[in-house]
Structures are given as C-alpha cells and as structure tokens.
Amino acid sequence: MKVPYAKKWQKEIDALRKIVLGCRLVEELKWGKPCFTHQEKNVAIIIPLKDACALSFFKGALLKDPKQILTKIGEHTQAGRWIKFTSLEEVGALRPTLRSYIGEAIRVEESGKKVPLKKASEYVVPEELQVRLNAAPELKAAFEALTPGRRKSYIFHVSGAKQSKTRIARADKCVPMILSGRGFNEFN
C-alpha cells in the first residue's frame, strides 16, 4: 500500500520510528502506517501529511503534556492528540520529551484508563436536519436506526456549514442517504 507523502517525510519518519522503538513498543503496519503497540494495544502511530509528519497518540487526551506540544487532530477528535514535525531538526530537539511522552502513553495503556467519549446522543442535531426528521416519521426512524458513528457523520456535516441556507441544502442532500442506511461518507 502506498502511503501518501511518506517519501517526502522519510527522514523524519525514520527518526521518529527509532525513538519510539527505543521505548519498548512493538511496530506493526496498520492503515498503511507505522503503528506502535504495547501488549497488543495501539499506543502511537506516525502519520505522514502533506505539510508535516505527525506522531499521534491514540489516548493523547489523557497525557499531561507539560511542554504543551500536543494538539487535537481535528475539531471533533476526542481521544487522539498529535505532535507535528516539519524537519529532522525538530524531531531531534524533542527526542527526550518524546521519550517521556511515549513512556507516559505506555503507563496510561497499562493502567487501563479510557478517554471518556461523548456519545452520539449527546451531540445536538442541527435544527435544519431536525426539522426534516420531525416532518417525516420514516426519515426519523431511519436516522435513529443508523449506527452512532453514522448519525454523527450527518450531524457534523450539516452543522459544519456557517450559513443556515447551506445547512438546509446539506440536510436536504442527506435525506436519501439516511433513508438508504448509509453514513455521510459512505458511497455504496
């Protein structure tokens, strides 16, 4: 499997792999990327991006982050946190800090701690979508029958628009997909 942007960040990836492997984690290839596990549990993954390379911690939200270098991966990310790098020098400068963070991530995994995740039912359905659900019982039933992740995909897509007219258009577009039982990002 070809990993986009991996070649561009190969030196940084190699340096990060060396640091992580020095912290008694096991390397596996998951999602086409170097993923590091402890007792068969995912701890960290290296992700080559277009403009950077990232070391991502699966339970990064539970890390103390005294250096304030961890950032949320996306607006709706609950557990994961990452550190982005744009040069080999940045990786080298953070080597001791990365070892410390990796050690803490291992201890978090050993402790069995879990990130308290927000349930799909806790997300507010945007008004523009809720109006359609209330007006059509079969649509409401189809929406409620979706998996929590699929419901969230529609909530995020519709609520992500800044203008009401765009939210209305997005809600309209979602109706046939909801009725078919698909999530927003599913094409078949």
Side-chain angles (χ1 to χ4, degrees), residues 42-55:
N42 295 334
V43 174
I45 189 166
I46 297 173
I47 305 171
L49 304 163
K50 186 175 185 177
D51 298 324
C53 175
L55 176 63

Side-chain angles (χ1 to χ4, degrees), residues 5-185:
Y5 312 115
K7 193 171 189 177
K8 179 178 180 178
W9 301 109
Q10 196 59 57
K11 290 177 185 174
E12 291 80 4
I13 290 169
D14 291 344
L16 287 168
R17 285 180 65 240
K18 187 175 180 182
I19 293 167
V20 178
L21 290 170
C23 295
R24 70 179 214 260
L25 291 175
V26 175
E27 183 177 29
E28 300 178 35
L29 191 65
K30 294 187 179 184
W31 307 284
K33 296 167 184 61
C35 183
F36 303 90
T37 63
H38 179 70
Q39 297 173 348
E40 299 183 4
K41 302 282 186 181
N42 295 334
V43 174
I45 189 166
I46 297 173
I47 305 171
L49 304 163
K50 186 175 185 177
D51 298 324
C53 175
L55 176 63
S56 178
F57 294 94
F58 287 90
K59 293 183 180 178
L62 297 177
L63 301 181
K64 292 183 180 82
D65 193 18
K67 302 280 187 182
Q68 301 293 298
I69 57 175
L70 294 173
T71 57
K72 282 181 100 173
I73 297 166
E75 178 185 351
H76 301 292
T77 301
Q78 296 182 64
R81 298 291 183 273
W82 65 12
I83 307 164
K84 289 184 176 181
F85 301 92
T86 56
S87 73
L88 190 57
E89 292 74 26
E90 287 178 340
V91 175
L94 282 176
R95 183 176 287 115
T97 301
L98 293 176
R99 285 188 184 127
S100 172
Y101 279 47
I102 294 163
E104 184 183 359
I106 292 168
R107 289 188 296 279
V108 164
E109 196 53 59
E110 288 174 339
S111 75
K113 289 181 188 173
K114 297 199 182 297
V115 176
L117 300 176
K118 193 173 179 181
K119 295 177 182 162
S121 59
E122 296 177 67
Y123 289 96
V124 177
V125 176
E127 180 183 346
E128 295 81 359
L129 180 57
Q130 190 64 57
V131 165
R132 275 145 198 78
L133 297 175
N134 292 343
E138 70 281 357
L139 180 62
K140 187 172 188 173
F143 185 76
E144 290 172 355
L146 293 172
T147 63
R150 288 178 173 149
R151 286 194 302 270
K152 284 192 305 189
S153 72
Y154 289 110
I155 291 168
F156 294 162
H157 175 65
V158 175
S159 64
K162 293 180 179 136
Q163 297 182 20
S164 180
K165 69 179 183 178
T166 308
R167 287 191 300 273
I168 290 168
R170 286 184 178 187
D172 288 341
K173 181 182 174 190
C174 292
V175 169
M177 295 188 304
I178 292 169
L179 290 171
S180 72
R182 292 181 290 157
F184 176 73
N185 295 313

